[in-house]
């Protein structure tokens, strides 16, 4: 048994996009996919809430705990050094995954929510003054609204939102009008969780930067589906969660430009984020440790590194191509169901199918589907302004991942038909 973690980098040589994914092999990587629910094979279509975990991730955590677990950045003993190496190797994997310029720009957080709260509480609170504005869009998840609202309330600033059109796309002219000399930051979803809309973020960042406005991208729904290059995009901050990209829950990443992170005050005080402490004065640690107070989620970080390796081994281009095929088939099949309306029909979408069916409450739909073994999310998806925009209290949302199949879409559609027969 070796005490050395797997420090090999996230796959850099990507398989050719010409080669289709062997979905049966992919599915065999996910032990949970072979279970049944109510006597039916599980059809897991709730990936936007959280995705399932491949053996590589489960195994990475098991091997950490069984073979080399200790606290990180502390000991000179063998186990602590091995844990630290694995922890920092995962940081490098996250750096390569986002194509960040340096591992100093990668901060581990609990997830997207904590990453956004970190930026709001440090960058936001130090920059936003009375009369200033923070700009978001009408597509945001609550976790990219509420932290900004809190800062605005505290500072006497105003939270503004760029509206969306009937397809669920941001109206760019309206967004441009709201980028003013008062705007201190634009915080925007890269991909919408409720509708699947992929925002034209490169263009929007250019618009914002031309007006001197920094941009935070909420990549929670983008990272598992779309290739991200923070340097090419030029975004100032980028956040994503491990648990939506086949990694563990309780771990996420905040990318920030080093120049901004350097000048930001720390988020939390504690161990590991200091260089020296006396009762008179504390000197903060260098990046990224300044923002990682206390013992971190070591197993989560190691598991996330394994998840990023797993995704890299397949290639996000091939994942996106497979999921796009499912989106097309799913859209076509759902449109054939009488009384069904798809909410979110943007030209550029990831494989999210949000819908309402006349006469069937989304919660009843969710329950009927569960009895068919189909897991979907029903409700407002923590995006109440989106629901309000479309005049619905809730939708049923099927959100797809790399392991989903065309046959599973057929099972979904049959379940929807059953619900219609029962309720509509
Ligand atoms: N931002 C977006 C766009 C999200 O979709 C989510 C979670 C978050 C932020 C928060 O991520 P967390 O990992 O910190 O919780 N979205 C969802 C969803 O759509 N259903 O359940 C959680």
């Amino acid at each position: 048994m070796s005490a050395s973690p797997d420090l090999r980098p996230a796959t850099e040589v990507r398989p050719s996009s010409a080669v289709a994914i062997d979905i049966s092999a992919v599915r065999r990587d996910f032990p949970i996919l072979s279970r049944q629910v109510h006597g039916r094979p599980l059809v897991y279509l709730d990936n936007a809430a959280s995705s399932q975990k491949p053996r590589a991730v489960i195994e990475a955590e098991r091997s950490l705990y069984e073979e080399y677990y200790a606290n990180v950045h502390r000991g000179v003993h063998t186990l602590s050094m091995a844990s630290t190496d694995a922890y920092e190797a995962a940081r490098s994997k996250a750096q390569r995954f986002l194509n960040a310029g340096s591992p100093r720009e990668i901060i581990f957080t609990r997830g997207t929510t904590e990453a956004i709260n970190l930026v709001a509480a440090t960058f936001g609170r130090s920059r936003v003054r009375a009369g200033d504005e923070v700009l978001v869009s009408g597509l945001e998840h609550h976790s990219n609204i509420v932290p900004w609202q809190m800062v605005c309330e505290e500072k006497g600033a105003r939270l503004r939102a760029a509206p969306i059109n009937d397809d669920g796309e941001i109206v760019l002219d309206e967004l441009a009008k709201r980028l003013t000399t008062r705007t201190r930051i634009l915080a925007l979803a890269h991909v919408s969780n409720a509708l699947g809309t992929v925002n034209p973020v490169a263009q929007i960042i250019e618009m914002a930067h031309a007006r001197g406005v920094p941009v935070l991208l909420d990549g929670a729904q983008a990272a598992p589906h779309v290739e991200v290059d923070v340097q090419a995009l030029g975004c100032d901050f980028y956040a994503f969660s491990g648990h939506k990209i086949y990694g563990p829950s309780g771990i996420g990443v905040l990318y920030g430009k080093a120049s901004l992170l350097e000048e930001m005050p720390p988020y939390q005080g504690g161990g590991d984020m200091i260089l020296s402490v006396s009762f008179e004065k504390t000197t903060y640690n260098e990046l990224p440790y300044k923002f990682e107070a206390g013992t971190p989620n070591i197993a989560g970080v190691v598991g996330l590194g394994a998840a990023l390796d797993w995704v890299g081994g397949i290639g996000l281009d091939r994942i996106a191509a497979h999921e796009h095929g499912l989106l097309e088939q799913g859209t076509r099949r759902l449109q054939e169901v009488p009384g069904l309306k798809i909410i979110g029909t943007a030209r550029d979408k990831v494989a999210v199918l949000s819908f309402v069916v006349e006469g069937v409450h989304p919660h009843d739909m969710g329950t009927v589907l569960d009895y068919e073994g189909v897991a979907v999310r029903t409700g407002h998806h923590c995006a109440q302004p989106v629901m309000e925009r479309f005049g619905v209290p809730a939708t049923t949302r099927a959100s797809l991942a790399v392991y989903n199949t065309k046959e599973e879409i057929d099972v979904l559609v049959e379940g929807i038909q059953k619900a219609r027969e029962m309720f509509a």
Side-chain angles (χ1 to χ4, degrees):
M1 200 186 282
S2 146
S4 302
D6 177 9
L7 303 181
R8 284 171 300 169
T11 310
E12 275 164 357
V13 184
R14 297 236 159 137
S16 159
S17 55
V19 185
I21 303 175
D22 178 352
I23 297 300
S24 310
V26 165
R27 290 182 67 84
R28 282 196 298 275
D29 267 354
F30 290 80
I32 206 170
L33 293 181
S34 58
R35 71 159 283 175
Q36 300 207 326
V37 170
H38 297 302
R40 309 286 176 112
L42 168 66
V43 174
Y44 189 78
L45 304 179
D46 194 17
N47 295 286
S50 204
S51 59
Q52 300 297 346
K53 318 304 167 200
R55 269 180 230 284
V57 170
I58 301 165
E59 181 58 25
E61 291 207 24
R62 185 208 58 76
S63 124
L64 166 76
Y65 282 130
E66 288 190 6
E67 296 168 23
Y68 62 93
Y69 176 79
N71 209 334
V72 294
H73 305 140
R74 279 157 177 83
V76 294
H77 63 79
T78 301
L79 297 191
S80 180
M81 288 192 288
S83 275
T84 303
D85 285 350
Y87 184 86
E88 292 304 327
R91 194 188 307 278
S92 299
K93 290 171 192 198
Q95 177 209 344
R96 278 192 293 275
F97 178 75
L98 293 175
N99 194 32
S102 156
R104 298 169 65 240
E105 299 181 312
I106 300 295
I107 295 155
F108 289 120
T109 64
R110 279 198 297 123
T112 305
T113 302
E114 189 179 44
I116 297 172
N117 274 278
L118 188 161
V119 178
T122 60
F123 184 86
R125 284 171 95 192
S126 60
R127 294 248 183 150
V128 176
R129 305 253 177 282
D132 285 346
E133 294 174 356
V134 170
L135 182 58
V136 297
S137 86
L139 275 177
E140 303 307 316
H141 185 277
H142 296 165
S143 63
N144 199 28
I145 300 174
V146 184
W148 302 113
Q149 218 156 30
M150 289 161 65
V151 174
C152 287
E153 255 171 44
E154 180 186 318
K155 299 290 180 178
R158 180 176 172 211
L159 182 69
R160 303 191 72 188
I164 55 175
N165 65 21
D166 291 343
D167 288 317
E169 296 166 329
I170 293 174
V171 184
L172 293 183
D173 290 349
E174 293 296 325
L175 181 128
K177 279 190 214 157
R178 287 162 179 76
L179 283 167
T180 73
T181 52
R182 282 184 243 248
T183 316
R184 291 295 154 259
I185 188 165
L186 166 62
L188 187 71
H190 188 172
V191 168
S192 145
N193 71 313
L195 308 176
T197 311
V198 181
N199 288 319
V201 288
Q203 189 185 347
I204 293 175
I205 290 166
E206 222 168 274
M207 287 162 58
H209 283 178
R211 292 162 176 83
V213 177
V215 180
L216 172 141
L217 290 182
D218 169 355
Q221 298 295 342
H225 308 291
V226 181
E227 273 178 293
V228 178
D229 181 334
V230 290
Q231 292 189 79
L233 285 172
C235 58
D236 300 276
F237 300 101
Y238 197 96
F240 72 94
S241 297
H243 68 97
K244 295 188 201 283
I245 185 161
Y246 313 109
S249 53
I251 190 68
V253 168
L254 171 68
Y255 156 81
K257 279 186 182 159
S259 55
L260 294 176
L261 294 175
E262 300 267 15
E263 71 182 44
M264 281 155 54
Y267 178 45
Q268 295 177 325
D272 232 21
M273 55 76 74
I274 54 90
L275 287 178
S276 71
V277 176
S278 73
F279 287 116
E280 289 70 42
K281 184 171 170 53
T282 290
T283 314
Y284 302 130
N285 205 342
E286 60 198 29
L287 293 178
Y289 310 110
K290 180 171 101 177
F291 293 104
E292 293 182 2
T295 298
N297 181 354
I298 302 164
V301 167
V302 170
L304 174 61
L308 297 181
D309 278 346
W310 187 87
V311 166
I314 296 180
L316 264 172
D317 52 348
R318 296 201 307 160
I319 293 175
H322 171 68
E323 292 174 351
H324 190 74
L326 295 177
L327 173 67
E328 284 190 336
Q329 185 221 357
T331 305
R332 210 170 43 244
R333 291 294 318 276
L334 289 190
Q335 279 166 343
E336 291 163 10
V337 178
L340 186 150
K341 184 174 175 221
I342 295 178
I343 308 286
T345 46
R347 273 157 297 178
D348 198 359
K349 268 183 78 170
V350 299
V352 166
L353 292 159
S354 240
F355 58 89
V356 289
V357 178
E358 238 171 61
V360 188
H361 192 280
H363 291 299
D364 293 331
M365 178 64 77
T367 305
V368 172
L369 288 173
D370 182 52
Y371 271 89
E372 300 299 312
V374 181
V376 292
R377 184 168 172 192
T378 60
H380 55 60
H381 315 294
C382 302
Q384 283 182 340
V386 177
M387 299 296 113
E388 198 171 309
R389 169 67 179 77
F390 285 93
V392 293
T395 72
T396 302
R397 179 188 68 183
S399 53
L400 311 182
V402 61
Y403 39 65
N404 290 127
T405 65
K406 297 200 160 163
E407 291 71 30
E408 288 182 314
I409 301 229
D410 293 338
V411 177
L412 167 71
V413 174
E414 283 160 29
I416 295 170
Q417 296 284 18
K418 235 179 220 177
R420 276 192 69 244
E421 283 158 25
M422 287 168 73
F423 293 98

